[in-house]
Amino acid sequence: MNFLSMKYFLTLAEEKNFTRAAEKLHITQQTLSAHIGGLEKEVGTKLFVRHVPLELTDSGAVFLRYARIFSRNELALKRELSDVSGQYKGILRIGIAPCRGRVELPEVIASFRETYPHVSIRLHEMANEDIWNALKRDEIDVAMARVLGELPGIAHRPWMEEEIVLLVSKDLAKGLWGEETGRIFMPEGQRKRGLSLRFADCPFLLNSEEDIAGALARKLFRDAGFSPWIAVESENMETLLDLCLMGKGAYFCPKNLVKALLTPENREKLYVLEFQDGKYGLSFGYLKNSHRWKIIEKWMDAVLHDHE
């Protein structure tokens, strides 16, 4: 029994299929089958029920729990040895929302890789709540997201501030409200407290409730006392921004991402409505392990330096 056996077992337990697991491991199905057979012989019990899809036996479920511990310890060992030697190498797993990653990370990743060429970056792009769940499961090393409250075993470090605004194309606004439009969309910087009932007849383009903007939108609808007309729901911010520009609906979106993703000409086509509760902080999150890989700290420092 060794780390390689654990890796093969964990991959097969995840894929539940010899062919897919072998492809993921870049070995033949026969080699994988032989390793698993040897492992079962060594522990003296069957670990998988061999039907489609594969299923863990009761012994396999116990073995899985310890295999994950071995895998985490192997990773911790490699990282601590990397820190001691000063030859930083390994895979840094980062959780971030897709569009935020596209806007905020390319330059810092390029610079970071020049400084630490043996450290690979693996981006896990997902909704805000999913990022924190992945961190709790130790599937990522650093979360870059809005903090959801105190999470046991997780430390935080402030990153940056964002603000959700409502975007409405000027053509759509004039079609809905005519001469009232100017009173609805006050000059930028004059913060509104919430949505008015005037928006009850407006079509909306929404992210899911797990998304920060999607969650704020639904709170504003509840506070205003109306059910929204949801024209399109998607996790793809760029698609929703395009539809917003086409006048197909109003869209809640982080203000800094609007500036980064849209040209000045396109931004001129939109009204922007701000909200009292629209601002929030984003933070780094990481597990409070007995040994934290130094690369995690260096990554956070690099991102903050890029924002200065």
Side-chain angles (χ1 to χ4, degrees):
M1 194 182 305
N2 52 44
F3 286 130
L4 185 61
S5 300
M6 297 297 176
K7 179 180 179 181
Y8 286 0
F9 171 84
L10 285 169
T11 303
L12 186 58
E14 178 184 327
E15 296 296 330
K16 297 181 175 62
N17 180 283
F18 273 99
T19 302
R20 289 198 303 271
E23 289 174 353
K24 191 170 182 178
L25 291 164
H26 305 291
I27 59 175
T28 66
Q29 186 175 334
Q30 290 76 16
T31 299
L32 177 59
S33 181
H35 266 276
I36 297 300
L39 188 59
E40 290 178 324
K41 183 176 180 181
E42 185 172 355
V43 298
T45 184
K46 290 292 182 184
L47 301 175
F48 291 96
V49 179
R50 284 165 171 73
H51 53 51
V52 180
L54 286 174
E55 184 181 353
L56 289 170
T57 63
D58 290 342
S59 297
V62 172
F63 194 89
L64 176 63
R65 181 155 45 88
Y66 283 93
R68 285 173 172 160
I69 295 171
F70 274 102
S71 180
R72 286 195 295 270
N73 286 341
E74 179 195 14
L75 182 61
L77 170 62
K78 289 179 177 178
R79 289 177 170 183
E80 192 160 353
L81 289 173
S82 168
D83 286 348
V84 170
S85 68
Q87 298 176 348
Y88 301 113
K89 57 184 178 179
I91 298 173
L92 178 63
R93 306 165 299 171
I94 299 165
I96 192 168
C99 274
R100 188 176 294 122
R102 176 189 166 185
V103 169
E104 301 292 342
L105 295 189
E107 289 187 9
V108 69
I109 287 175
S111 175
F112 190 81
R113 292 275 294 116
E114 287 181 7
T115 306
Y116 304 102
H118 301 298
V119 176
S120 298
I121 303 293
R122 182 174 297 165
L123 294 181
H124 296 255
E125 298 178 308
M126 59 192 96
N128 197 80
E129 186 174 352
D130 294 334
I131 292 171
W132 294 110
N133 288 333
L135 182 62
K136 285 189 289 185
R137 295 192 297 267
D138 201 19
E139 295 171 356
I140 59 175
D141 302 303
V142 184
M144 299 176 68
R146 183 183 184 184
V147 178
L148 299 175
E150 288 299 319
L151 297 173
I154 293 177
H156 304 289
R157 181 176 174 183
W159 171 26
M160 61 180 285
E161 187 177 73
E162 271 189 354
E163 180 179 8
I164 299 294
V165 295
L166 180 62
L167 308 174
V168 185
S169 79
K170 292 180 178 178
D171 289 340
L172 175 61
K174 289 173 183 175
L176 286 170
W177 301 295
E179 294 181 358
E180 292 284 314
T181 301
R183 286 191 287 273
I184 295 172
F185 296 95
M186 301 173 69
E188 189 171 344
Q190 296 182 16
R191 193 170 308 284
K192 302 283 285 185
R193 290 188 175 275
L195 284 177
S196 71
L197 286 174
R198 288 190 182 98
F199 283 86
D201 295 326
C202 177
F204 284 92
L205 312 166
L206 294 183
N207 296 113
S208 71
E209 197 162 3
E210 286 72 35
D211 182 89
I212 299 171
L216 175 64
R218 288 163 175 83
K219 176 184 181 299
L220 290 169
F221 296 143
R222 290 192 296 270
D223 291 346
F226 69 85
S227 296
W229 169 17
I230 302 176
V232 180
E233 185 171 336
S234 170
E235 292 304 322
N236 192 309
M237 180 179 292
E238 291 167 285
T239 298
L240 297 182
L241 275 174
D242 286 343
L243 288 168
C244 183
L245 283 168
M246 294 166 63
K248 301 304 179 183
Y251 180 42
F252 291 89
C253 183
K255 191 174 181 180
N256 61 317
L257 302 190
V258 176
K259 185 176 180 180
L261 295 172
L262 297 184
T263 64
E265 293 76 17
N266 278 335
R267 294 201 300 272
E268 273 298 312
K269 299 176 183 178
L270 300 170
Y271 285 118
V272 177
L273 190 65
E274 299 179 337
F275 301 97
Q276 189 175 40
D277 298 329
K279 288 188 175 182
Y280 53 90
L282 299 174
S283 296
F284 301 102
Y286 50 90
L287 294 176
K288 296 177 181 177
N289 294 329
S290 56
H291 174 82
R292 184 167 80 248
W293 192 22
K294 290 181 181 177
I295 282 295
I296 293 175
E297 195 77 34
K298 293 181 183 297
W299 167 257
M300 293 187 291
D301 289 342
V303 174
L304 292 172
H305 181 267
D306 186 69
H307 276 271
E308 291 178 353

